[in-house]
Every structure is written in C-alpha cells, then in structure tokens.
Amino acid sequence: MIRATAMVLGLILAAPAWGRDCPPPPDHAGEISALLDRLARAGDPVQAQRLMNALWALWFDAPDARAQDLLDRAMERRAAGQGDEALALLDQLVEECPDYAEGWNQRAFIHYLQGAHAAALAGLDATLAREPSHVGALAGRALALMALGRDAEARRALDAALARNPWLPERGLIEAPGTDI
C-alpha cells in the first residue's frame, strides 16, 4: 500500500503543469482600445503597421513567465518551420492558460498553415471569445472561412477586420478577380 501510494505521488509530481493555476492575462484593454481607435483612422499602411505592431506586442504579453516561455518557444519553432513542435507547445499553453487569447490565436495560425481549416476556425473563435477586437484573429477567421467555402461568413469577418484596420493586406481579397467575397 505504501509503495502504491508512493508511485501515485511520484506520477503526480512528475506530471506536466496542466491545469496549473495560470494567472489571468495582463489587462491591456485600455491600451488596446486606444490603439484600435487610432488604427481605424490610420492614414496610410505604414502608420497602420506601426499600430498593429504595438497591438501584437500587447497580445503577445503572456500571463506569466512560464506561459511566455511556451509562447516564445512556439514562435521560434514556427519560424524554423517546425510546425508540429510549435503546435505541441501551443497545445500545452492553451491547456495551462485557457483564458489567454493569443495562445489560441497562435495555435489556430499553425492549424491554418497545416491546412486544418476547421481546427483553425475553432481556435480563432476561441480567440475572439476572449479578445473580440483581435484584428489578426478576425482576418484569420475570414481566411479560414474562405478555405472552407463559407464565403458569406468570410466577407462578414473580413469586413469586421477592415473596420478595425482598413490597411490589412487581406483587403485585396474583396477586390481580387475570381473571389466571391
């Protein structure tokens, strides 16, 4: 009995940190709102890109050092073309910190890159449930919906993204010959 208890205790202590008490994501709502207001009125693509970079910096601010490490390592793996390894790290991040929108968003992006458009859409919806004005997730949602042949929904998602950033590269999809959105 003592040996069995020791084995179970050892397994628990050796288990990954899933289900840990991840702190809430940093509250950047005021800064994000102000940047989005400026972004919607950006006069040119250069100004819009600067504002988007500032938004990305806020969205990439993880809840704690462990979450930041998982996100940073996932982004390094993605940049190195190691999508499966990046996805595994993002799966862990989402499991440990389910309220952190950017974990969901980056995982959705990996799914999209791998052609798993339904999984990408689910992740983007999870992102938007946590961060409704996430311009990147709105644009990504439009692309995933287009890939799934759901053009009317894609158009609505793209319109919502363009209302926040009229300079998104995806705006060309509206004017592109042969597109229905």
Side-chain angles (χ1 to χ4, degrees), residues 3 22 45 54-55 65 84 102 105 111 129 147 150-151 169:
R3 193 149 114 146
C22 184
L55 284 166
D84 290 338
E102 197 56 35
N105 187 54
H111 282 303
R150 295 165 56 182
D151 291 341

Side-chain angles (χ1 to χ4, degrees), residues 136-153:
L138 286 166
R141 188 170 193 278
L143 295 174
L145 287 164
M146 284 178 61
L148 293 168
R150 295 165 56 182
D151 291 341
E153 289 175 85

Side-chain angles (χ1 to χ4, degrees), residues 117-133:
H117 300 118
L121 183 59
L124 293 162
D125 287 343
T127 302
L128 292 165
R130 289 156 180 81
E131 184 69 51
S133 294

